[in-house]
Amino acid sequence: MAYMTQEGYDKMVAQLRKMETIDRPAASAAIAEARDKGDLSENSEYEAAKEAQAMLELRINQLKTTIAEAKIIDTSQLSGDTVQILSTVRMKNQANGAEMKYTIVSESEANLREGKISSQTPIAQGLLGHKVGDVVDVQIPQGIVKLEVLEISL
């Protein structure tokens, strides 16, 4: 089951719709065009088009599964008392004083450029369930980092 926001769900549905209505016919057309060029046994363009179509179909099936298993989170039911999925957390690295701000989202909505980290990351896992003022030891690949929770918002 994938927890996600309504916005993330809507984006995923739109992406699926685009893949099924635009990308799939384009992939079929590319295969047909390559097939028309002659001998298929030595036609690398045909093989590449078939592989691209297979990858597209795989992605479509993955999206369909994610959408079918999605659980949309009602943000009005969330509390800002503790860190949970969809919380925006401002924290401070105790070692170097650097402040960071991340929103904890589902894996499918994670985008570091937008400040959204997956709930499956070590930082999110370490912060979940903690309150403002808590200092949390988080195991990351470089070792253990101490993060102080400064602010939690939704």
Side-chain angles (χ1 to χ4, degrees), residues 89-148:
V89 184
R90 191 168 60 89
M91 66 204 95
K92 182 166 129 182
N93 183 326
Q94 295 287 288
N96 63 16
E99 286 193 19
M100 301 167 279
K101 186 175 182 179
Y102 295 118
T103 301
I104 300 172
V105 296
S106 68
E107 187 124 13
S108 61
E109 294 181 87
N111 183 336
L112 199 53
R113 287 189 195 112
E114 295 176 5
K116 296 178 179 180
I117 61 170
S118 165
S119 59
Q120 302 303 311
T121 62
I123 291 175
Q125 288 289 305
L127 293 171
L128 289 172
H130 288 278
K131 300 177 185 231
V132 172
D134 287 356
V135 176
V136 182
D137 289 335
V138 177
Q139 178 69 48
I140 60 172
Q142 293 79 17
I144 294 177
V145 63
K146 288 186 179 295
L147 299 174
E148 179 184 356

Side-chain angles (χ1 to χ4, degrees), residues 17-145:
R17 195 170 295 125
K18 177 191 173 288
M19 291 172 117
E20 289 180 327
T21 61
I22 296 171
D23 298 343
R24 184 182 272 163
S28 295
I31 290 171
E33 183 180 322
R35 191 179 320 123
D36 291 343
K37 291 186 179 175
D39 185 10
L40 298 181
S41 65
E42 296 179 14
N43 190 334
S44 62
E45 189 176 328
Y46 176 76
E47 291 301 319
K50 290 287 286 180
E51 187 164 325
Q53 182 186 41
M55 294 300 291
L56 176 65
E57 292 301 325
L58 177 66
R59 182 70 181 126
I60 287 172
N61 288 331
Q62 288 172 334
L63 271 175
K64 282 183 175 181
T65 300
T66 302
I67 288 168
E69 296 174 351
K71 177 153 176 53
I72 297 171
I73 298 171
D74 181 3
T75 54
S76 68
Q77 301 296 316
L78 299 176
S79 161
D81 296 341
T82 60
V83 177
Q84 54 196 318
I85 194 159
L86 298 185
S87 292
T88 298
V89 184
R90 191 168 60 89
M91 66 204 95
K92 182 166 129 182
N93 183 326
Q94 295 287 288
N96 63 16
E99 286 193 19
M100 301 167 279
K101 186 175 182 179
Y102 295 118
T103 301
I104 300 172
V105 296
S106 68
E107 187 124 13
S108 61
E109 294 181 87
N111 183 336
L112 199 53
R113 287 189 195 112
E114 295 176 5
K116 296 178 179 180
I117 61 170
S118 165
S119 59
Q120 302 303 311
T121 62
I123 291 175
Q125 288 289 305
L127 293 171
L128 289 172
H130 288 278
K131 300 177 185 231
V132 172
D134 287 356
V135 176
V136 182
D137 289 335
V138 177
Q139 178 69 48
I140 60 172
Q142 293 79 17
I144 294 177
V145 63

